[in-house]
Amino acid sequence: MPATPARTHRDDSQARRAMRLCTWFALIAGALGVVLIAWPHLLPAGGPWVQLVLGALTLFLAFRARAIGTRGVNDYDGRLSLLAAIAGFAILFFAGNAAFTVLASLGS
């Protein structure tokens, strides 16, 4: 039986580009979400729902960037996508609280 060759870590320019785009879009969505949480009067109608979507988008893009970076980029440093993921969790936490408050006020 031949030994299975070790999986080599390849450096793909398209993977590097996709990782960078996902990271920067995640950071931009995270920054928008944090701004809307800090100043909720900027978007009075539908604010919590937009914040929830921005938080989910931030998490999706941040973890997608991390997945692409670990699989296809040799010198991948995931600090920016980790920052975006932490911001996404914070956005979802605070926006979820605001959305729950809106839904609870409708019920009573």
Side-chain angles (χ1 to χ4, degrees), residues 11-98:
D11 192 18
D12 189 5
S13 64
Q14 289 181 346
R16 185 176 296 272
R17 181 176 183 272
M19 184 261 314
R20 283 185 183 153
L21 283 174
C22 284
T23 300
W24 284 109
F25 286 151
L27 286 171
I28 290 168
L32 285 173
V34 168
V35 164
L36 286 177
I37 285 174
W39 296 289
H41 65 275
L42 292 177
L43 189 63
W49 313 114
V50 172
Q51 292 169 0
L52 280 172
V53 169
L54 282 173
L57 181 68
T58 301
L59 277 177
F60 174 77
L61 289 172
F63 284 119
R64 185 71 188 141
R66 292 185 70 76
I68 293 171
T70 55
R71 289 185 196 132
V73 178
N74 277 337
D75 55 345
Y76 172 67
D77 180 19
R79 288 182 284 185
L80 286 177
S81 60
L82 180 63
L83 176 68
I86 291 171
F89 281 120
I91 292 165
L92 279 179
F93 177 77
F94 290 110
N97 184 19

